[in-house]
Amino acid sequence: QVQLVESGGGLVQTGGSLRLSCAASGRTFSSGAMAWFRQAPGKEREFVAAISWSGSNTYYADSVKGRFTISRDNGKNTVYLQMNSLKPEDTAVYYCAARKQLGVGLRRDEYAYWGQGTQVTVSS
């Protein structure tokens, strides 16, 4: 079993930056891929970024490529999402997700464990 707790969300102006953190507990953390998803009001939850268990492979949605960076520190059981050049359309609740498999997944149904989410609001 893995428990995930996100932090770092908040209100930021267009062009600003935020760093989200996801602290994991449970012994399976270091052996599985991790990801960030987001859900805006009235929209489906969508993939943002994913990272393999070793951190050597990362994947991004086209909408955030070049602006967001996912990373992980297995020693601290934490995964991060550095968000730069934020836009109003990035406003959403951001969720951390984990899976037992080593390789990354890009779909919601590929992740068994989810955090409660953290709100990110980008003002124009």
Side-chain angles (χ1 to χ4, degrees), residues 42 83 93 107:
M83 306 186 295
V93 177
R107 302 192 315 269

Side-chain angles (χ1 to χ4, degrees), residues 68-79:
F68 290 11
T69 302
I70 188 171
S71 61
R72 67 189 294 168
D73 184 338
N74 289 344
K76 295 182 178 179
N77 287 352
T78 302
V79 64

Side-chain angles (χ1 to χ4, degrees), residues 99-121:
R99 66 199 300 247
K100 293 181 179 180
Q101 294 82 355
L102 300 181
V104 302
L106 306 184
R107 302 192 315 269
R108 288 178 56 185
D109 62 2
E110 294 182 288
Y111 290 85
Y113 307 104
W114 292 85
Q116 294 298 309
T118 184
Q119 176 70 48
V120 171
T121 303

Side-chain angles (χ1 to χ4, degrees), residues 17-101:
S17 298
L18 283 174
R19 187 174 83 154
L20 305 183
S21 299
C22 174
S25 60
R27 60 184 179 180
T28 60
F29 171 79
S30 63
S31 63
M34 303 283 292
W36 289 93
F37 288 75
R38 67 186 181 186
Q39 187 167 15
K43 295 187 177 181
E44 294 289 319
R45 192 172 299 186
E46 64 176 5
F47 169 78
V48 175
I51 188 167
S52 60
W53 75 273
S54 67
S56 59
N57 294 314
T58 57
Y59 296 86
Y60 298 92
D62 288 343
S63 59
V64 306
K65 203 171 293 183
R67 300 187 298 122
F68 290 11
T69 302
I70 188 171
S71 61
R72 67 189 294 168
D73 184 338
N74 289 344
K76 295 182 178 179
N77 287 352
T78 302
V79 64
Y80 305 96
L81 185 68
Q82 177 66 44
M83 306 186 295
N84 299 328
S85 303
L86 283 161
K87 305 174 181 180
E89 50 264 43
D90 294 318
T91 295
V93 177
Y94 282 71
Y95 296 91
C96 177
R99 66 199 300 247
K100 293 181 179 180
Q101 294 82 355

